[in-house]
Amino acid sequence: MPRTIVFLHAHPDDEAIFTGGTMARLADRGVRVVLVVATSGELGAINDSTDPHRLPEQRRYETDLAADALGIDRVVFLGYRDSGLPGDPANDAPGSFFAADTEEVAREVAAILREEEAEAIVVYDAGGIYGHPDHVQVHRVGVRAAALADVATVYQATVDREYLHFVETHLVDHAGASVPGLPTIGVPSVLVTTMVDVRSHLDVKRAAIAAHASQVPETSSAMTMPHATFADVYGFEWYVRNGPAGIIDELT
């Protein structure tokens, strides 16, 4: 049976932006990669070519395309609703991920961890990388799920804010700018325990991001910047590990 890791993400496209290269590298090593997505991103961006009533369906389809590109073996949608940015009424709306009972959702995720016999789980850092309520909930749910399923190694996906200060704008900068009052994104370099060089898989990562065309149009900076610049901005992925060194550390 292959070694297995579960990635818990909040919305379609998060998996490609923050962990796509790691996923692709693991898949190339024969690791079973399972993606669990909490919501369908119902409150994502709407452009001229997007039917707002079909946005959740479109974003699920885009996730499947990205998963194929990255070599992901299984995609699971938990079925909660996008909670919107801090202060949005959707934060507390019935069915929203942020309003869901953390223990109840953690039991759902723990069941997947047990079923898959996962040796590690990937969540977000405690601040949700850039403060989005759904990202913060991913951290809470994922950490608790790991405890329930006796998964010792928890990787918190993040960004090295000091590194990003010296390169072109990352998509997380745009996301962070949309969060009122957010002082910082990610974590300082000193808190990063595991940095994965994904430059060998940049074409795959870029294709996975491009699959989420409803949110990252082909005219966006991420899609138009030269390859060398893309490598500088998206060529590394960062984690804060809790527990013993695990499968992602083997990539460093």
Side-chain angles (χ1 to χ4, degrees), residues 7-11 13-20 85-86 122-140 155-162 164 170-179 181-188 192 205 234 236-240:
F7 287 74
L8 176 61
H9 281 283
H11 315 101
D13 78 13
D14 291 329
E15 84 292 335
I17 294 167
F18 296 114
T19 64
L85 296 172
V122 177
V123 299
Y124 302 131
D125 64 42
I129 303 180
Y130 66 95
H132 193 295
D134 286 331
H135 285 231
V136 174
Q137 182 75 322
V138 160
H139 173 82
R140 295 170 180 166
Y155 291 98
Q156 301 176 39
T158 188
V159 295
D160 182 337
R161 74 169 70 119
E162 294 167 27
L164 292 187
H170 188 288
L171 283 166
V172 74
D173 294 311
H174 299 298
S178 68
V179 177
L182 180 68
T184 55
I185 62 171
V187 300
V192 173
K205 179 172 180 174
Y234 296 99
F236 300 93
E237 293 171 357
W238 301 273
Y239 302 88
V240 178

Side-chain angles (χ1 to χ4, degrees), residues 16-231:
I17 294 167
F18 296 114
T19 64
T22 302
M23 292 169 134
R25 286 196 59 190
L26 289 168
D28 274 359
R29 287 190 167 206
V31 175
R32 178 171 170 81
V33 178
V34 177
L35 169 62
V36 179
V37 189
T39 80
S40 297
E42 291 86 351
L43 299 181
I46 302 293
N47 56 49
D48 292 340
S49 62
T50 303
D51 178 350
H53 300 293
R54 299 191 63 189
L55 183 61
E57 178 183 342
Q58 180 172 347
R59 297 197 70 182
R60 286 183 179 227
Y61 172 70
E62 290 171 349
T63 302
D64 287 338
L65 292 178
D68 286 344
L70 296 173
I72 294 170
D73 294 281
R74 179 186 179 192
V75 179
V76 180
F77 279 89
L78 296 180
Y80 294 91
R81 287 188 56 81
D82 191 331
S83 307
L85 296 172
D88 190 309
N91 293 174
D92 302 312
S96 77
F97 184 54
F98 187 66
D101 181 84
T102 300
E103 188 72 13
E104 181 179 329
V105 186
R107 287 196 293 268
E108 291 183 65
V109 176
I112 296 170
L113 292 172
R114 294 190 194 98
E115 177 188 353
E116 291 288 348
E117 299 183 16
E119 63 180 77
I121 184 173
V122 177
V123 299
Y124 302 131
D125 64 42
I129 303 180
Y130 66 95
H132 193 295
D134 286 331
H135 285 231
V136 174
Q137 182 75 322
V138 160
H139 173 82
R140 295 170 180 166
V141 165
V143 169
R144 179 58 180 152
L148 291 172
D150 294 322
V151 174
T153 301
V154 178
Y155 291 98
Q156 301 176 39
T158 188
V159 295
D160 182 337
R161 74 169 70 119
E162 294 167 27
Y163 175 85
L164 292 187
H165 179 73
F166 295 101
V167 296
E168 293 293 328
T169 302
H170 188 288
L171 283 166
V172 74
D173 294 311
H174 299 298
S178 68
V179 177
L182 180 68
T184 55
I185 62 171
V187 300
S189 303
V190 69
L191 294 183
V192 173
T193 62
T194 311
M195 182 181 73
V196 180
D197 185 340
V198 302
R199 289 175 294 180
S200 60
H201 288 65
L202 274 185
D203 289 344
V204 171
K205 179 172 180 174
R206 200 167 197 172
I209 295 174
H212 294 282
S214 67
Q215 306 303 302
V216 189
E218 60 183 11
T219 56
S220 69
S221 62
M223 295 295 98
T224 58
M225 64 176 59
H227 181 83
T229 305
F230 189 86

